[in-house]
Amino acid sequence: MTHPPAPRIAGLRALQAFGLSLSALSLGGFALLSGAGPSAAAAVTPGQAPSFTLLIAGRDIVYCYYRQPCKDQDQRTGLAQPPNTDTVMVVKVQGTTVHALNIPRDTNVGPFDRYRSVALQKINSQYFAGGPEALVKAAETITGEHIDSYVIVRTDYVERVIDALGGLDVTVPEPGIEWIDNAAGVNLNLAPGAHHLDGKDGVLFLRVRKGFGDDYGRIDHQKQALTQLAGKLRTPQGLAALPTILGGIGNGVETNVNPATIAAMRPYLSQMKLSFATLPTDDIPGTFNLAVNRERLAQVWGDVPATPPNPDLKVTVVDASGENLGPALTRALTALGYRNVQVTPAPRSGEASQVFTQQDVADAAQLADTLNLARLQGERFPVSAGEVGILLGADAAESLAGLKGLGAPTIP
């Protein structure tokens, strides 16, 4: 989404090598219907949406020589660069509610040990050290959640899926993005503003941190893109992409999910309500490693109860709907008791409509429930304490079509 001035909206952008809830559940999930690998059981009751917890991670392509990927992408020796998992998410499915938690790549697994390698204590090194089982165990240690199964996706698979879904709409913040890595054959140059990216450039954009501040900024803009891709999966184009998605098993997707679990979810996909959060952390002095903050985690992830409308809450609406829905939404929110609503017009954007916040999760939950939109919590979204943002993308013309009926206010 474009929002002049650019710095105000710089945090609201795309994804990395992958990982998320309904979209990755479906990208990694529909593929599971072919039944690859040993299955991990989860509770499935006929006629009810299943409940389970899933780890989803995006791993790099491994290189054996300069600019030459290894023929065997599962080998562990003779590598020029190991396959880190810089995108790690824990996804908790509870019936038709999906809660996704991003874990920053530098998060320490367990208490920090100053006598051990600093790098080997980070979650992003666990997959290479011990495979998906070690990564699952690390995520359980960090979050305190039992994880039923895992889906690991490779960047080349993500590229194919983005192409099959018709590309990715993104907005590049000032001063633009230039990422050149000759060793990996990367040459990405994007001017500030709106872009429609194919799979190759989409994956590169999703991996880059420049322009988004740090890993937290990258995580936040990943959530926007995942919401966009999730919406596409429910369209005829998403159904047409199934052959590509199904082709991932053994060719970019590694999983132990029970196919019966995913099959049981299919009737409920259109009803799924998404929420996203970033694992709260504290710095570990003298290192770049991060320690989980369990107290704050309970406040941002999972079933955060919605509160009654807070009349003092500042609500910032970014209207990129292309239908001028912002004023109508303002009138609707004012009628509900919100007294401080501001609208910023923006060029029409293909990014998905959503509610976003940093700290005010309960207030965001109330607005997300009212508007039936995804709720995103993050550390770098462009809102302050006491403020919740609402992005109206082009999809709002359909998902919030009732706003059109409000019309313009009558002037006596």
Side-chain angles (χ1 to χ4, degrees):
M1 107 191 93
T2 302
H3 174 160
R8 177 63 181 161
I9 206 67
L12 300 177
R13 317 292 179 234
L15 127 127
Q16 199 232 86
F18 227 64
L20 137 25
S21 123
L22 179 60
S23 67
L25 260 177
S26 300
L27 299 180
F30 280 131
L32 309 177
L33 295 174
S34 64
S39 296
V44 177
T45 302
Q48 294 183 12
S51 296
F52 59 95
T53 301
L54 180 72
L55 177 122
I56 301 175
R59 55 155 281 196
D60 298 329
I61 296 174
V62 295
Y63 289 83
C64 287
Y65 303 99
Y66 179 77
R67 298 186 68 171
Q68 184 174 332
C70 301
K71 291 182 179 180
D72 179 5
Q73 282 293 308
D74 294 321
Q75 72 182 66
R76 290 290 189 272
T77 59
L79 303 180
Q81 179 180 333
N84 287 330
T85 52
D86 284 352
T87 297
V88 179
M89 301 185 78
V90 175
V91 179
K92 187 161 39 177
V93 179
Q94 298 171 309
T96 57
T97 301
V98 179
H99 300 293
L101 178 72
N102 283 86
I103 302 179
R105 63 179 190 168
D106 293 331
T107 304
N108 209 79
V109 181
F112 179 73
D113 185 346
R114 64 188 180 92
Y115 296 106
R116 290 183 56 212
S117 164
V118 173
L120 293 181
Q121 296 183 64
K122 296 180 180 182
I123 190 169
N124 74 336
S125 68
Q126 303 306 304
Y127 174 79
F128 180 68
E133 292 80 10
L135 185 58
V136 167
K137 184 177 180 180
E140 289 180 331
T141 299
I142 290 169
T143 63
E145 293 279 344
H146 170 72
I147 295 174
D148 298 299
S149 48
Y150 61 81
V151 176
I152 314 293
V153 296
R154 228 172 40 221
T155 54
D156 55 327
Y157 171 73
V158 179
E159 178 180 327
R160 298 195 299 271
V161 170
I162 290 175
D163 279 334
L165 290 173
L168 190 64
D169 291 301
V170 304
T171 304
V172 176
E174 296 283 354
I177 291 174
E178 182 180 8
W179 180 21
I180 299 175
D181 184 346
N182 291 325
V186 173
N187 189 345
L188 181 68
N189 286 278
L190 297 174
H195 295 265
H196 182 79
L197 303 181
D198 62 12
K200 180 179 179 180
D201 284 344
V203 166
L204 293 178
F205 176 80
L206 304 177
R207 298 177 63 188
V208 70
R209 282 181 292 168
K210 180 179 180 181
F212 303 108
D214 56 11
D215 196 41
Y216 285 107
R218 176 172 62 177
I219 285 173
D220 284 352
H221 80 256
Q222 290 171 8
K223 295 167 186 171
Q224 262 93 18
L226 290 168
T227 305
Q228 180 187 150
L229 293 174
K232 289 187 176 184
L233 283 165
R234 295 194 288 261
T235 67
Q237 188 174 34
L239 295 176
L242 283 179
T244 298
I245 296 170
L246 290 169
I249 294 298
N251 186 24
V253 177
E254 185 178 1
T255 184
N256 70 340
V257 174
N258 184 346
T261 302
I262 302 300
M265 285 185 60
R266 294 187 69 176
Y268 303 96
L269 288 178
S270 62
Q271 306 170 35
M272 292 265 175
K273 184 67 179 292
L274 310 182
S275 69
F276 302 78
T278 298
L279 180 82
T281 58
D282 299 313
D283 293 338
I284 297 178
T287 77
F288 290 106
N289 291 26
L290 303 168
V292 59
N293 186 320
R294 285 283 184 85
E295 183 179 353
R296 288 185 58 212
L297 175 59
Q299 298 171 4
V300 301
W301 188 46
D303 291 318
V304 178
T307 61
N310 177 3
D312 297 321
L313 180 73
K314 179 180 179 181
V315 181
T316 300
V317 178
V318 180
D319 186 2
S321 66
E323 300 285 342
N324 193 31
L325 296 179
L329 179 58
T330 298
R331 291 192 290 277
L333 293 177
T334 300
L336 290 173
Y338 293 97
R339 298 184 302 205
N340 186 6
V341 183
Q342 300 179 8
V343 178
T344 299
R348 186 179 186 275
S349 171
E351 296 180 73
S353 299
Q354 63 216 232
V355 176
F356 56 92
T357 186
Q358 284 197 29
Q359 305 176 26
D360 300 278
V361 179
D363 289 321
Q366 171 65 41
L367 283 166
D369 288 347
T370 299
L371 300 174
N372 195 29
L373 296 178
R375 185 192 80 219
L376 283 68
Q377 179 276 332
E379 300 295 312
R380 300 292 185 267
F381 284 134
V383 288
S384 55
E387 180 182 7
V388 170
I390 301 174
L391 166 64
L392 298 178
D395 61 344
E398 181 177 345
S399 63
L400 297 174
L403 291 176
K404 296 180 181 179
L406 293 180
T410 302
I411 301 177

